[in-house]
Amino acid sequence: MSDDETPLLRCAEGNFILKMYTKWIPEKSKWKAAYEKGLDVSLNENENILYLGASSGSTISFISKYTKGIIFSVEKSPKMMIPLIKKSLKIKNVFPLFCDARNIDYINSKIKDTKINILFQDIPSFDQVEILINASKLVDKDCKIFFSLKTKSISQGDSFVTYKKVKEKLKKFFEIIDETNLEPYHKFHWFFILKKSS
Amino acid sequence: MNQNEFIIEAKNEVRKSILKDNLIIFFTRVLEDLRKDENSCLFGRIKDLYYLINPYEDSTKKEIYFFLKNDFSFSEGLILDDEEKSFCNILFSDLNSDFILVNGKVMKGRVLGIIKKLILKYFPNSYEVIEPFIFAKLICSVGGIERMIKLPSSTIQLIGAEKALFRHKTKKTNSPKYGLLYLSKKVQESSNKGKAARQISNKIFISIKLDYYQIIVR
């Protein structure tokens, strides 16, 4: 590589600084993987999002560029919460909430009257579906619900069998608009786009 | 809606969830390093403690130098007592500019004493069941007291013998009877070591829960 092509910048003092670029990769984000798979997970400008299982906030940092609405990011682990708070200090529309996603009353007291347009749930837990059903009480009927399912966290058996069981459970409470398998980006993962059934 | 209110509340909640067992883990890892090599560099260990006390700041070597001389009055993470501050100062006062202890041999004994005092303070019931350093090693290998209280006594018995356990599962060799508990005097002196290890793990299973809910959570 010649000197002109190197990604180094010379600062005023004469030292070299590495120029960093971050890319939204489908291997690291289920939202992006669902987009790559052809699902309609696009955002409008002023949509508010409730993000359950925010982790360190890598997906949220990219989402926040596409919407001006509020992103409520819920996380339980203190280790993951620290980088999330660091990111929310830089990004103005990220609101961190340190609580369990099962604790709806606390989340409801914080959200107050803000209308949520998108509910995203990515919690690899054995009671993942129950958490989603519980959290759907916080949103209206026209709210889009994105649900990323990890079958191996529910059962170590055949993943297709657990996927079918979960799908039957979801049909009782939601209307399934679209769904896909997230392979090759994420193994044993499915992604659903849901709406509350009337 | 104000974003700052959310951030301040989240920070307060995170501060509550960082427990004192992290301090015990720090000192046991320092002692394990010193037992391997008396002249080992402790920069990485002290960086870990720095992030426990100031979790939202990015550290360079200069900031950590300043942190060693500080009196830990300002912290957004783990809050230290006066006694715990003095424990840290004992360790930091012996460090030279390359983060290596000047009197490694002497400090080994002092750090062991610190671990004893910390476990007597926060885990008084477990202190009577097993030697403090072995108990601290158990917490270290599991990764925290919150994870340890969720374990059954049979798993506590085999902490540190994972390699033998999975060898037993795959190749069907004899199953292990004890892991880190083998270091305890009670196990080594008894004629039936497997039985002694099982009895101790049963008692630890109860005593941890007492300590956690009576002292640490409050």
Side-chain angles (χ1 to χ4, degrees), chain A residues 78 88 91 94 98 106 110-111, chain B residues 1 3 9 13 17 55 58:
Chain A
S88 65
I91 307 165
V94 176
F98 183 74
Y106 180 81
K110 291 287 156 192
I111 291 171
Chain B
M1 270 189 182
Q3 190 203 22
E9 196 168 339
E13 293 292 322
S17 66
D58 296 322

Side-chain angles (χ1 to χ4, degrees), chain A residues 25-72:
Chain A
I25 311 166
E27 281 85 355
K28 287 196 174 181
S29 169
K30 273 139 210 168
W31 196 308
K32 176 71 175 173
Y35 177 76
E36 292 284 326
K37 276 283 197 175
L39 294 190
D40 180 26
V41 285
S42 55
L43 285 166
N44 290 331
E45 255 193 20
N46 295 316
E47 281 182 332
N48 297 324
I49 301 167
L50 175 61
Y51 198 110
L52 303 176
S55 190
S56 60
S58 54
T59 303
I60 284 171
S61 62
F62 291 105
I63 290 167
S64 60
K65 291 172 190 170
Y66 296 103
T67 179
K68 288 173 185 171
I70 299 167
I71 304 170
F72 295 103

Side-chain angles (χ1 to χ4, degrees), chain B residues 184-215:
Chain B
S184 171
K185 271 188 181 178
K186 285 177 188 173
V187 176
Q188 286 185 355
E189 285 171 1
S190 71
S191 57
N192 194 350
K193 286 171 183 152
K195 190 181 174 184
R198 195 185 73 239
Q199 285 171 344
I200 291 170
S201 65
N202 285 338
K203 281 181 184 174
I204 290 172
F205 174 77
I206 298 162
S207 65
I208 289 171
K209 285 171 181 62
L210 282 170
D211 293 328
Y212 180 74
Y213 290 109
Q214 281 181 353
I215 298 163

